[in-house]
Amino acid sequence: MRIEIEIERSNPAEGQPARFETFRVEVPRHITVLDTLIKLKNEVDGSITFRRSCRSAICGSCAMRINGRSGLACDTLVEDELHRFGHLRVQPLAHMPVMRDLAVDMQPFWNRVEAVNPWVETAPEREPAWPVERETLMDQAAVDEMDDTSKCIMCMACFSACEVSDVDTRFLGPAALAKAYRVVADPRDERKQERLTALNEVGGYWDCTRCNQCVQACPKDVKPMEAIVHLRREAINAGLTNTAGSRHITEFIKIVRSEGRLNEGRMPLKMVLSDPKKLLSVLPLAVDMLRHGKLPSPIHPPIPRVKEVRRIMDKKAK
Amino acid sequence: MTMISHDVVIVGAGLTGMRAAIEMGPGVDVAVISKVHPVRSHSGAAQGGINAALREEDSWESHAYDTVKGSDYLGDQDAIEIMCREAPSDIRQMEHWGVIFSRADDRRIAQRPFGGAGYPRTCYAADRTGHALLHAMYEQVMKRRVKVYTEWFLTSLIVENGECQGVTVLDMASGELVAVRAKAVVFATGGYGRVYLTSSNGLVNTGDGMAVAYRAGAPLMDMEFVQFHPTTLKSNGVLITEGSRGEGGILINAKGERFMSKYAPNAMELASRDVVSRSEQTEINEGRGVDGCVLLDLRHLGRDKILERLPQIRDLAIKFAGTDPIEVPIPVRPGAHYSMGGIKVDVDGATPMPGLFAGGECACVSVHGANRLGGNSLLETIVFGRRAGTAVNRYITGRAMPIPGDHHLAAQRDRIHTLMSRSGGERGNLLRHELGTVMNTDVGVFRDEKGLMEAVAKAREINDRAQSLWVMDKSRVFNTDLTEALEMQNVAELAQTIAAGALARKECRGAHYRNDHPGRDDANWMKHTLARWTPDGPELSYSAVTVTKYQPQERKY
Ligand SMILES: Cc1cc2nc3c(=O)[nH]c(=O)nc-3n(C[C@H](O)[C@H](O)[C@H](O)COP(=O)(O)OP(=O)(O)OC[C@H]3O[C@@H](n4cnc5c(N)ncnc54)[C@H](O)[C@@H]3O)c2cc1C
Ligand code: SF4
Ligand code: SF4
Ligand code: FES
């Protein structure tokens, strides 16, 4: 079939700003975006620049934005894209400076991964000397718990898709946090508490808005957002309850328990009352909302069958 | 022109290179150079597993015997013994470093049966063992803060007075040529599957390190032994792991016959890879194939087992072959998969050139001989990566930093300048296609004198043409058109050694099969081929195979 592909091209270091270039090319029906790019590079314009290595969705080299969605070029079929969008447009990943055309500077991504100290840490005295006589014993269930996160190929697609990363450069992003959970969940790791504490700060697991973009972008079904939710749960279980995020969750649960539903008026009060600075900062907003009749009343009775709600919650907690 | 120094330079950041780097003492200033980011290395593509006699019922001797037999008695038995003896410890060390191996009911590392092995001794992490190992190894590299130069492309070796003193590289981001001097250099640059048209290897496996070492005077060993994997996808050569047969998958021909019963009635689909590949090719050649392929049938394993044990395989088959193995058999055929040959090294990774070490798929120890067993090459990377590290530590002790001249870099600058200034000529990829086709047909699963003579001549001619390729891209920044041209020169260099070695070797052994010289000929050919670079093409010589306790027998499965 004859197709049209638009490629965003640039070479900032040599003074060429981004522009789209359109190529028309004859390709077989069952072809990937990567093979199309390779064909163009070979036959039409050798200067089209992109990364590739395995061509089988395992090395993580070839992630780019394809019709606006971040994903692997080697596991995206041209036909599917055309079918869905009617056109084919490729651009470099977001949130990283472009080196050239579709190749970005990966450093911002790797800095985030390194920031979570992503290795299993054993106390030096327990590191076995060579020759190593035995392995650690582990249940397959523990392996399964790490199954999703350990599939990550560090392709950066999720980081490019992440909505918080659009606005906050401090956010560690989905892949780094998924990697953090991979180590936190590892029974061999001896720094769990330390890790959870470190990531309880700005940029850590509370800063995700759960927009689910990372889950959709991920070619390996790592489900970074779910890993982030797991981290939050582990943190609360580990007694890390001093953050707005964890308070939000605990207060949320308390309110639902006592009233059988969320009380939109009480919730914000609970969140700010323990923090005088925060209280002062949101006061003008609250007054403003009250004036416009937008502040819900914090006082209303529990729903009639609140006991049932509590029973369900108790059962779930078990 | 830039010159930097490190005590030790390791080229290649796959399992071997990183393992060697980790072994350097804390006082050693080591740098790893790689043309792709470490986790993009092809080690990550390995699916099936890694061998070690971990269990009490198994023994390293039995692992060694299987390996010697699998090698068709071309493997050096001292090296094989070392590898098999040290394997359990290296695997356990990797486990302690964080590799998430699949587990058996007794909570120990799970092991599955693999081709050519008398005991289920292949450890695995679902069907992504290489990925699990590679990422854990990189975690250790991050932890130890090893210096890594990512996207630096090796262009030559710096040799003075026969001693290796460093490398020259192209920093791809800036387009700058850099000389890196070092007391010792370790090559861990992987295999050369991409010499062939159909290959399970990634696009980066162009044998660069071997070609560079060869040009600089280091001999290559046993290059004619190329393993063809029996189950690669037709469309793009992507591999379907042997684990799928280990789990019970069977091969059938167009008539639905389980044809391996004719060729290897005992081991069936789990016979050694060369045996299975040739059986498939015979079926295809004799008209019992399906569109140039045979069929890998997993259907009887059932949905649950496929989803649990072979999920990645299922994804690959759906994506690249358009078939769901739960419902239909997958069309597969043999594809170039593993390079048994490589830079000649001893059991400590030392090449005959002082200061140059090598390990992993780019080296030839030789533990695989004429045919590698599945699961043994991941093992080789960590065992011999570690051993090379230890040996380098010893080698550099008390050694001064060499002071090589500027002319090495100048020569590379001229070479690249010449390539870049041409404004027309042949494109590397077309030439690559031409070479790959010749290698596939004439130096493939079946070989004979006529084809090989043609291949030798053709490879030589293509190598000449590869010196004047047309690089279209004129930018300095991340010029992959240029690096692909350099890779083309490397595969052309290696193709000559493969074809020449195969033409000379008048017998059948392991992966090397000569229609015109049936049978193994131990009296004349139980020896290693050595190829040295000369201006007129490879010069061949031979060296003895080390035999300890396993006397050659006929290899039957
Ligand atoms: C699809 C597939 C499946 C496999 N499955 C198995 C299996 O199940 N079990 C098993 O035991 N073996 C398996 N193998 C074989 C095994 O994976 C490889 O032999 C092994 O991983 C090679 O590791 P390595 O460290 O030698 O090289 P690689 O991992 O290939 O690394 C090579 C490194 O060298 C660098 N490099 C190369 N050229 C240059 C240059 N010019 N400049 C700078 N750097 C350079 C690369 O960037 C890379 O970092 C499989 C192989 C393939 C292709
Ligand atoms: S769910 Fe969280 S981590 Fe994932 S993309 Fe959205 S904000 Fe980013
Ligand atoms: S989580 Fe998924 S999308 Fe993100 S880097 Fe890993 S594999 Fe890529
Ligand atoms: S090329 Fe490796 S993931 Fe696409």
Side-chain angles (χ1 to χ4, degrees):
Chain A
M1 57 186 177
R2 198 167 172 74
I3 60 153
E4 226 179 66
I5 173 170
E6 272 181 282
I7 305 177
E8 184 180 316
R9 311 209 46 190
S10 67
N11 186 343
E14 292 180 337
Q16 290 162 26
R19 71 195 153 85
F20 279 104
E21 192 170 338
T22 305
F23 295 89
R24 279 168 206 85
V25 59
E26 184 69 34
V27 293
R29 219 178 170 73
H30 198 76
I31 193 173
T32 62
V33 172
L34 179 66
D35 281 337
T36 308
L37 290 170
I38 291 175
K39 193 172 162 69
L40 283 172
K41 185 176 179 68
N42 285 345
E43 295 169 16
V44 182
D45 183 348
S47 72
I48 299 171
T49 303
F50 50 91
R51 290 191 177 93
R52 85 286 181 278
S53 168
C54 70
R55 57 83 178 88
S56 57
I58 191 65
C59 77
S61 296
C62 68
M64 54 186 71
R65 277 180 295 162
I66 303 165
N67 285 332
R69 299 179 309 161
S70 303
L72 299 179
C74 70
D75 96 341
T76 304
L77 294 174
V78 167
E79 204 182 357
D80 292 350
E81 290 299 306
L82 291 175
H83 186 70
R84 227 179 129 161
F85 295 92
H87 61 90
L88 179 58
R89 179 183 297 144
V90 293
Q91 292 168 274
L93 292 179
H95 307 142
M96 286 162 279
V98 177
M99 273 169 76
R100 199 173 158 198
D101 294 353
L102 303 167
V104 295
D105 177 359
M106 302 182 279
Q107 207 51 50
F109 174 83
W110 284 106
N111 287 345
R112 286 167 169 77
V113 174
E114 279 174 37
V116 307
N117 297 328
W119 50 81
V120 172
E121 190 90 55
T122 335
E125 68 275 12
R126 271 191 296 284
E127 266 229 13
W130 211 91
V132 187
E133 299 296 339
R134 54 182 56 84
E135 69 257 43
T136 327
L137 298 181
M138 200 192 282
D139 288 324
Q140 181 61 32
V143 172
D144 293 342
E145 182 59 37
M146 295 180 276
D147 191 54
D148 281 344
T149 49
S150 66
K151 285 188 294 202
C152 175
I153 58 173
M154 297 286 162
C155 70
M156 321 188 283
C158 55
F159 178 51
S160 167
C162 172
E163 292 194 345
V164 170
S165 300
D166 274 345
V167 291
D168 187 352
T169 54
R170 293 169 307 178
F171 184 46
L172 286 167
L177 289 170
K179 185 82 175 177
Y181 181 61
R182 175 252 167 276
V183 236
V184 163
D186 197 314
R188 296 167 295 190
D189 185 65
E190 298 181 2
R191 284 175 62 183
K192 189 166 163 159
Q193 187 73 19
E194 209 179 308
R195 294 178 191 283
L196 290 171
T197 311
L199 297 173
N200 199 33
E201 301 297 322
V202 170
Y205 39 72
W206 291 116
D207 287 2
C208 159
T209 59
R210 299 182 51 195
C211 69
N212 206 42
Q213 291 295 336
C214 54
V215 178
Q216 279 171 24
C218 179
K220 301 310 271 189
D221 212 15
V222 172
K223 308 189 197 86
M225 187 185 80
E226 284 183 21
I228 292 171
V229 171
H230 281 293
L231 280 171
R232 292 176 176 180
R233 198 172 298 152
E234 295 272 351
I236 292 172
N237 290 343
L240 296 165
T241 50
N242 60 334
T243 51
S246 70
R247 267 205 311 280
H248 188 269
I249 290 185
T250 29
E251 294 305 334
F252 193 108
I253 294 173
K254 273 195 213 154
I255 292 175
V256 174
R257 218 190 143 70
S258 80
E259 301 183 14
R261 62 169 167 165
L262 180 62
N263 180 331
E264 304 260 2
R266 252 173 89 194
M267 189 70 199
L269 282 174
K270 289 252 188 188
M271 290 303 294
V272 296
L273 279 179
S274 62
D275 185 346
K277 259 218 242 116
K278 192 125 192 195
L279 182 60
L280 281 177
S281 75
V282 297
L283 213 53
L285 177 70
V287 171
D288 215 31
M289 283 172 76
L290 192 64
R291 269 220 317 265
H292 290 87
K294 298 273 183 203
L295 201 64
S297 157
I299 310 156
H300 54 68
I303 62 165
R305 292 157 72 190
V306 62
K307 282 212 180 100
E308 273 175 48
V309 174
R310 286 179 203 152
R311 246 204 333 272
I312 293 170
M313 290 177 80
D314 285 342
K315 207 163 176 188
K316 202 73 194 145
K318 272 187 219 142
Chain B
M1 287 199 278
T2 317
M3 164 104 77
I4 60 172
S5 346
H6 290 283
D7 288 342
V8 179
V9 164
I10 296 174
V11 186
L15 282 171
T16 313
M18 290 199 280
R19 184 63 191 84
I22 289 169
E23 200 60 17
M24 291 305 137
V28 178
D29 167 22
V30 56
V32 178
I33 288 172
S34 176
K35 68 177 174 182
V36 296
H37 185 282
V39 302
R40 319 283 185 228
S41 300
H42 207 62
S43 287
Q47 303 166 345
I50 177 165
N51 298 338
L54 289 182
R55 299 256 166 187
E56 296 63 30
E57 315 86 84
D58 196 6
S59 69
W60 71 260
E61 288 90 344
S62 144
H63 183 187
Y65 169 74
D66 289 341
T67 304
V68 171
K69 179 181 172 195
S71 81
D72 222 350
Y73 298 90
L74 192 68
D76 286 314
Q77 298 182 11
D78 54 340
I80 292 174
E81 287 178 8
I82 288 175
M83 179 176 82
C84 299
R85 208 169 40 217
E86 297 181 353
S89 182
D90 277 305
I91 302 271
R92 292 183 191 123
Q93 183 170 54
M94 289 302 299
E95 191 277 328
H96 285 279
W97 282 348
V99 175
I100 307 173
F101 284 109
S102 297
R103 297 293 169 146
D105 290 341
D106 63 359
R107 310 174 74 216
R108 292 175 65 180
I109 295 172
Q111 292 176 291
R112 60 165 53 128
F114 237 44
Y119 187 85
R121 69 167 72 89
T122 306
C123 314
Y124 59 95
D127 56 0
R128 41 175 195 276
T129 313
H131 170 267
L133 290 166
L134 186 68
H135 282 253
M137 196 74 94
Y138 185 57
E139 289 162 14
Q140 294 300 312
V141 161
M142 287 191 278
K143 176 179 175 184
R144 291 165 164 80
R145 312 224 171 274
V146 176
K147 175 82 196 153
V148 182
Y149 294 101
T150 292
E151 294 172 342
W152 279 29
F153 190 100
L154 168 77
T155 55
S156 77
L157 203 56
I158 298 177
V159 182
E160 284 194 8
N161 306 319
E163 182 191 81
C164 171
Q165 303 187 338
V167 291
T168 66
V169 290
L170 178 73
D171 173 356
M172 293 173 68
S174 67
E176 191 182 10
L177 274 165
V178 182
V180 193
R181 56 181 191 149
K183 297 172 188 170
V185 172
V186 183
F187 274 7
T189 48
Y192 53 79
R194 285 284 157 179
V195 172
Y196 286 82
L197 191 63
T198 53
S199 170
S200 68
N201 286 199
L203 301 161
V204 288
N205 285 18
T206 48
D208 300 347
M210 293 184 218
V212 165
Y214 172 64
R215 272 187 216 115
L220 300 181
M221 188 158 101
D222 294 340
M223 293 294 283
E224 62 269 34
F225 296 99
V226 179
Q227 179 168 84
F228 293 87
H229 196 287
T231 50
T232 66
L233 291 182
K234 186 180 182 199
S235 55
N236 59 359
V238 166
L239 185 88
I240 300 299
T241 174
E242 186 160 317
S244 60
R245 281 170 286 139
E247 296 290 354
I250 61 168
L251 289 166
I252 53 179
N253 62 19
K255 296 170 162 170
E257 294 162 343
R258 194 173 171 190
F259 57 83
M260 285 311 297
S261 61
K262 275 187 291 189
Y263 306 96
N266 296 321
M268 300 291 278
E269 281 81 5
L270 291 178
S272 199
R273 288 182 180 170
D274 56 326
V275 175
V276 182
S277 285
R278 278 196 299 273
S279 310
E280 290 179 358
Q281 197 63 50
T282 307
E283 292 294 307
I284 296 166
N285 292 351
E286 293 177 1
R288 292 184 296 277
V290 181
D291 199 13
C293 293
V294 294
L295 300 172
L296 173 64
D297 197 349
L298 303 178
R299 288 172 300 182
H300 56 288
L301 301 181
R303 159 178 286 273
D304 291 347
K305 194 161 176 189
I306 293 177
L307 289 180
E308 186 208 343
R309 303 280 181 84
L310 304 163
Q312 188 181 263
I313 290 310
R314 176 168 179 256
D315 288 350
L316 292 175
I318 291 176
K319 188 69 76 176
F320 299 121
T323 50
D324 183 347
I326 293 176
E327 277 146 25
V328 262
I330 314 168
V332 293
R333 64 176 175 184
H337 178 56
Y338 184 80
S339 324
M340 266 78 74
I343 306 165
K344 177 188 163 56
V345 293
D346 66 14
V347 293
D348 292 316
T351 71
M353 181 188 286
L356 179 64
F357 296 76
E361 194 168 339
C362 77
C364 184
V365 187
S366 139
V367 286
H368 309 302
N371 175 60
R372 167 191 79 116
L373 290 192
N376 266 355
S377 49
L378 285 177
L379 177 61
E380 174 188 24
T381 66
I382 55 172
V383 172
F384 291 100
R386 171 179 52 76
R387 291 181 64 93
T390 313
V392 167
N393 272 331
R394 236 179 295 137
Y395 178 84
I396 60 167
T397 308
R399 199 165 273 274
M401 184 62 79
I403 311 173
D406 283 343
H407 57 284
H408 304 283
L409 204 52
Q412 290 306 309
R413 195 192 42 200
D414 291 348
R415 175 186 177 202
I416 286 176
H417 182 77
T418 318
L419 271 174
M420 293 285 284
S421 50
R422 213 169 278 115
S423 54
E426 279 193 280
R427 291 285 288 154
N429 67 290
L430 282 180
L431 202 53
R432 192 81 167 257
H433 195 271
E434 196 175 325
L435 178 67
T437 310
V438 173
M439 295 303 286
N440 259 32
T441 38
D442 292 333
V443 203
V445 175
F446 291 113
R447 305 164 173 186
D448 63 31
E449 181 159 270
K450 183 167 162 290
L452 287 169
M453 298 220 339
E454 273 170 34
V456 166
K458 196 77 192 167
R460 176 99 202 120
E461 177 212 311
I462 289 176
N463 187 56
D464 289 343
R465 284 157 63 195
Q467 304 316 307
S468 43
L469 294 175
W470 175 27
V471 177
M472 267 173 144
D473 189 354
K474 302 301 176 196
S475 167
R476 289 174 61 85
V477 181
F478 212 77
N479 190 332
T480 47
D481 206 31
L482 171 62
T483 50
E484 283 180 24
L486 297 173
E487 288 172 341
M488 173 62 216
Q489 296 183 340
N490 292 337
V491 291
E493 198 80 79
L494 297 180
Q496 299 173 75
T497 65
I498 303 167
L503 174 62
R505 186 174 283 274
K506 296 186 172 53
E507 65 158 348
C508 298
R509 187 182 293 273
H512 173 69
Y513 195 91
R514 289 282 300 256
N515 289 331
D516 48 349
H517 292 281
R520 199 175 74 195
D521 177 1
D522 288 333
N524 294 306
W525 287 103
M526 197 169 136
K527 57 189 181 185
H528 297 295
T529 309
L530 294 176
R532 280 177 203 277
W533 188 90
T534 78
D536 309 313
E539 180 187 279
L540 301 183
S541 59
Y542 294 89
S543 72
V545 173
T546 310
V547 175
T548 57
K549 51 179 173 246
Y550 310 97
Q551 289 307 318
Q553 297 166 2
E554 197 194 339
R555 198 166 63 108
K556 265 214 221 101
Y557 286 99

